[in-house]
């Protein structure tokens, strides 16, 4: 079964003009997903009938607030069983929108920061989850930006399945930090990929990394279906 996916982009403090098409092509070329990429989220989210045709909402967006109708439709879709992938800076978005913050569980808010872009190891902390099952216990030298001190929003439950060490040498805090997070929201499954940095004019090493691609594909498939082939 092909997973019908709505990839929501069009604004970001990161380079969405490259990340969104790259993710669309990655998903489609896997043979598991059929992706509609929108750069005008409210146009798609405002159509409840359109949303009902999708099994996955992929959020690569950090920009102006959506209209109330789009916000209600987005939340209702997830509550009713549509999966969602929250990619990197999408957890920076929509400060004060409680439902969205509960969906993310961990958000970039006051006190959050990151060190420099550099290679670091990703440690699988939950090898029983379908996303991580069968992956090596440590994925070495992943090039990315690692958030530290993400804020736990509204006591929303979540489950960390992979971490990375935020080293002081890189500008971090000397502690393990979440890298991959999963949770449920109503009947929907949430895959929160805290990894996924690409700056305007910067390298695409993160997205071109095969390990990152595998984690992203597996996370999206699980969010949409509850399984990973």
């Amino acid at each position: 079964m092909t997973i019908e996916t709505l990839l929501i982009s069009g604004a970001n403090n990161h380079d969405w003009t490259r990340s969104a098409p790259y993710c669309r092509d990655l998903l489609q070329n896997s043979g598991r997903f059929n992706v509609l990429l929108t750069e005008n989220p409210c146009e798609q989210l405002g159509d409840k009938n359109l949303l009902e045709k999708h099994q996955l909402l992929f959020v690569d967006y950090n920009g102006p607030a959506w209209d109330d109708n789009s916000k209600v439709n987005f939340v209702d879709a997830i509550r009713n069983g549509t999966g969602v992938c929250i990619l990197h800076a999408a957890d920076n978005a929509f400060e004060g929108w409680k439902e969205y913050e509960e969906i993310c569980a961990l958000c970039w808010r006051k006190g959050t920061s990151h060190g420099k872009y550099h290679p670091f190891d990703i440690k699988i902390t939950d090898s029983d989850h379908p996303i991580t099952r069968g992956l090596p216990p440590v994925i070495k030298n992943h090039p990315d930006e690692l958030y530290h001190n993400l804020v736990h929003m509204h006591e929303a439950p979540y489950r960390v399945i992979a971490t990375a060490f935020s080293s002081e040498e890189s500008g971090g805090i000397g502690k393990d930090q979440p890298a991959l997070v999963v949770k449920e929201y109503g009947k929907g499954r949430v895959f929160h990929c805290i990894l996924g940095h690409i700056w305007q004019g910067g390298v695409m090493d993160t997205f071109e990394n095969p390990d990152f691609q595998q984690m992203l594909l597996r996370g999206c498939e699980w969010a949409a279906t509850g399984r990973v082939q």
Side-chain angles (χ1 to χ4, degrees):
M1 181 189 73
T2 302
I3 298 166
E4 296 295 329
T5 301
L6 178 63
L7 200 163
I8 302 166
S9 195
N12 207 311
N13 60 317
H14 290 61
D15 193 352
W16 65 269
T17 64
R18 289 190 290 161
S19 62
Y22 196 98
C23 289
R24 175 197 61 201
D25 294 346
L26 176 68
L27 266 62
Q28 291 204 151
N29 291 340
S30 74
R32 293 287 289 127
F33 301 85
N34 182 45
V35 183
L36 172 62
L37 168 57
T38 180
E39 298 177 8
N40 184 2
C42 292
E43 185 177 286
Q44 310 296 329
L45 295 172
D47 186 344
K48 202 160 190 173
N49 292 328
L50 175 74
L51 283 186
E52 290 176 354
K53 298 176 182 178
H54 291 90
Q55 289 83 52
L56 178 69
L57 305 176
F58 187 117
V59 187
D60 181 23
Y61 183 91
N62 179 23
W66 301 335
D67 62 55
D68 288 345
N69 183 52
S70 296
K71 290 164 70 173
V72 168
N73 289 346
F74 176 84
V75 172
D76 284 350
I78 298 167
R79 280 179 175 152
N80 290 330
T82 303
V84 61
C85 171
I86 303 292
L87 179 66
H88 196 54
D91 67 20
N92 297 201
F94 304 128
E95 186 168 1
W97 179 10
K98 183 180 178 182
E99 291 87 353
Y100 186 83
E101 292 175 334
E102 289 174 335
I103 288 166
C104 295
L106 300 177
C107 290
W108 178 294
R109 296 295 183 256
K110 185 177 180 180
T112 306
S113 190
H114 62 78
K116 65 182 181 181
Y117 184 97
H118 70 292
F120 51 82
D121 294 346
I122 299 169
K123 181 170 64 176
I124 303 301
T125 55
D126 186 347
S127 59
D128 291 330
H129 194 277
I131 297 173
T132 52
R133 192 176 298 143
L135 295 180
V138 178
I139 296 170
K140 294 186 175 295
N141 297 318
H142 171 67
D144 212 324
E145 176 182 82
L146 180 61
Y147 289 170
H148 58 250
N149 291 333
L150 287 167
V151 178
H152 183 197
M153 305 303 296
H154 313 294
E155 300 182 352
Y158 66 94
R159 177 178 174 186
V160 177
I161 61 174
T163 62
F165 185 70
S166 174
S167 68
E168 293 179 345
E169 292 79 10
S170 71
I173 58 172
K175 297 178 181 179
D176 286 331
Q177 296 296 292
L180 302 177
V181 170
V182 295
K183 61 166 295 170
E184 295 181 354
Y185 187 80
K187 297 178 181 178
R189 287 172 294 273
V190 181
F191 172 59
H192 183 177
C193 183
I194 295 165
L195 308 170
H197 176 74
I198 175 173
W199 209 239
Q200 286 83 356
V203 297
M204 290 197 70
D205 291 1
T206 298
F207 287 85
E208 292 169 348
N209 182 280
D211 293 322
F212 174 79
Q213 294 176 5
Q214 183 180 38
M215 289 185 290
L216 190 62
L217 287 168
R218 292 171 70 102
C220 287
E221 184 175 8
W222 171 82
T225 70
R227 302 179 301 278
V228 176
Q229 284 192 351

